[in-house]
Amino acid sequence: YAYKRVLRWAHLRQHAENAALFYALVRGSAFAATRAAQSIPSGTPTLMVFDTEEFDDTAVYNASTGRFTCAVAGIYLVVANVTLDLSNSTTVKTAQILLYKNGSSFLAGNLHHDLTSSGDDSKEIYAMVDLAVGDYLEIFMSHDNAVDTDAGGDFGVVRVLP
């Protein structure tokens, strides 16, 4: 029994050390923001401005411009989710969520909508991105609906490696 208890404590201590190391790596290098709804015009990649910050340890995200600016160089995990409100449309066939790095398209996630259904449809993107100090990231959305469509979602970035 004592042996199992020592192993349990060693296991817990290792998890605590791993958690402390992870926190040290990402501390001050993470943010998350959300957006309830934003009108996205048809056929034009449009900047998504996630205007409600959930957390932002060192002011690396600007909720007015939708831009994350790297303050500490490293490898970052980027996660974004955009949901389109398609309740009044049956014409959307495709949509894209686009990750821009330094003003240029870096990664795209394609959404193919079933025209026989209505309601919300969403797409996520995940990327590991090597960033230098001053590099910036933004999320854009485009769709082929005949009319403007509302979209909302989440955007988050965390440094995972120095």
Side-chain angles (χ1 to χ4, degrees), residues 55-131:
F55 62 89
D56 185 358
D57 293 339
T58 57
V60 292
Y61 181 72
N62 185 324
S64 298
T65 65
R67 181 179 285 186
F68 163 80
T69 303
C70 179
V72 178
I75 306 295
Y76 285 77
L77 172 63
V78 179
V79 179
N81 171 61
V82 175
T83 300
L84 287 170
D85 176 7
L86 301 175
S87 58
N88 63 353
S89 172
T90 57
T91 61
V92 172
K93 296 177 204 142
T94 61
Q96 280 191 318
I97 179 172
L98 304 138
L99 172 63
Y100 275 56
K101 178 182 176 184
N102 298 328
S104 298
S105 181
F106 181 77
L107 177 74
N110 295 312
L111 173 112
H112 301 282
H113 182 67
D114 177 3
L115 294 178
T116 62
S117 65
S118 63
D120 294 345
D121 212 341
S122 64
K123 180 65 183 175
E124 303 82 27
I125 58 171
Y126 306 91
M128 299 291 282
V129 183
D130 189 4
L131 296 176

